[in-house]
């Protein structure tokens, strides 16, 4: 049981988004609890008097390797492309879809991390 506490002093009125991400979860989805307290006088409530919560299970990123192209789709995905010497040729965060072109022919190693999982791919561009 891990606790994370976020306190916002002098919070301005508005909409706040809280994303709960589980890492190293052997079997999922795993239930969790979210507690909100404070001056919530003007907070919109659902029909049952509770705060409205939208649950969304994070999906493993999809990866397509096609010739000199790498296409990654997903939310909050970290991508790194290495050459065979271990030099980082490209790194970045993907939130949606990204098209990455390999710079030349060769053997590449791609690390894709998202939804609490890391996958390693080897790709040859001829």
């Amino acid at each position: 049981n891990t606790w994370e506490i976020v306190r916002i002093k002098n919070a301005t009125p508005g909409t706040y988004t809280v994303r709960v991400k589980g890492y190293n979860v052997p079997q999922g989805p795993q239930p969790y609890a979210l507690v909100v307290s404070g001056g919530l006088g003007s907070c919109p409530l659902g029909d049952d008097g509770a705060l409205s919560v939208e649950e969304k299970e994070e999906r493993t990123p999809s990866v397509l390797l096609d010739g000199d192209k790498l296409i990654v789709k997903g939310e909050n995905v970290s991508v790194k492309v290495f050459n065979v010497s271990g030099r980082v040729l490209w790194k970045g965060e993907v939130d949606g879809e990204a098209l990455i072109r390999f710079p030349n022919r060769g053997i590449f190693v791609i690390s894709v991390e998202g939804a609490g999982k890391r996958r390693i791919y080897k790709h040859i561009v001829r």
Side-chain angles (χ1 to χ4, degrees):
N1 290 331
T2 302
W3 289 48
E4 295 291 335
I5 299 172
V6 177
R7 291 192 174 112
I8 304 173
K9 290 185 177 186
N10 303 319
T12 57
T15 301
Y16 289 82
T17 301
V18 177
R19 289 190 176 137
V20 178
K21 294 175 95 176
Y23 292 95
N24 194 18
V25 180
Q27 290 182 320
Q30 179 177 339
Y32 64 90
L34 178 65
V35 178
V36 180
S37 66
L40 302 173
S42 63
C43 183
L45 300 175
D47 293 336
D48 60 352
L51 290 170
S52 61
V53 176
E54 178 184 326
E55 268 194 56
K56 185 171 138 185
E57 185 178 336
E58 201 169 329
R59 305 231 185 266
T60 302
S62 68
V63 174
L64 173 65
L65 290 160
D66 181 21
D68 70 340
K69 293 181 283 212
L70 164 64
I71 300 171
V72 179
K73 295 180 185 179
E75 295 179 11
N76 301 314
V77 180
S78 176
V79 180
K80 290 181 185 175
V81 177
F82 302 88
N83 66 10
V84 290
S85 301
R87 183 173 154 238
V88 177
L89 301 175
W90 189 90
K91 72 177 181 176
E93 299 295 319
V94 175
D95 200 11
E97 182 175 331
L99 167 64
I100 302 153
R101 291 199 179 265
F102 294 99
N104 48 28
R105 295 178 189 176
I107 301 171
F108 301 92
V109 176
I110 302 105
S111 169
V112 178
E113 188 171 346
K117 296 177 183 175
R118 179 182 306 185
R119 296 186 188 237
I120 306 295
Y121 300 87
K122 177 178 141 184
H123 185 61
I124 300 172
V125 178
R126 298 186 171 149

